[in-house]
């Protein structure tokens, strides 16, 4: 069985209440995907300035939906990487 990709693991860690672990998993990665997860994590944290920076790095618009809706969209997006 293939291990889940790091983006899903980070999202699951955050959803499980471990923001620090989620951040640790992706903070040093330089992919657009990691930047997008990083943006979401800073949005969860309430740091809109850092979030905007990471959305820009991800080449994504700043998200204005609910955190739950964004989490679900990210999760669906990164599930596709495992198929």
């Amino acid at each position: 069985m293939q291990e889940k990709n790091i983006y899903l693991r980070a999202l699951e860690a955050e959803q499980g209440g471990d923001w620090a672990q989620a951040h640790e998993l992706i903070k040093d990665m330089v992919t657009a995907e990691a930047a997008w997860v990083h943006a979401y994590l800073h949005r969860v944290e309430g740091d809109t300035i850092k979030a905007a920076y990471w959305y820009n790095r991800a080449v994504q618009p700043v998200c204005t939906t609910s955190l739950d809706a964004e989490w679900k969209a990210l999760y669906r997006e990164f599930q596709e990487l495992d198929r």
Side-chain angles (χ1 to χ4, degrees):
M1 180 181 209
Q2 180 181 353
E3 184 177 343
K4 286 183 182 173
N5 70 55
I6 197 162
Y7 312 117
L8 292 178
R9 290 179 15 230
L11 289 168
E12 288 172 354
E14 184 279 323
Q15 194 71 22
D18 196 344
W19 186 95
Q21 176 62 26
H23 191 255
E24 186 65 30
L25 285 168
I26 55 89
K27 71 177 185 169
D28 294 325
M29 296 180 70
V30 293
T31 65
E33 294 86 359
W36 195 7
V37 174
H38 207 153
Y40 165 78
L41 291 174
H42 283 294
R43 190 169 169 236
V44 167
E45 182 185 38
D47 190 335
T48 57
I49 293 170
K50 283 185 184 173
Y53 169 83
W54 286 104
Y55 283 116
N56 185 55
R57 292 278 308 262
V59 191
Q60 294 290 330
V62 172
C63 188
T64 59
T65 66
S66 70
L67 290 170
D68 184 58
E70 184 177 17
W71 188 93
K72 289 175 182 171
L74 284 164
Y75 201 85
R76 276 191 305 272
E77 179 77 21
F78 298 129
Q79 277 183 316
E80 294 297 318
L81 295 177
D82 282 346
R83 293 183 187 185

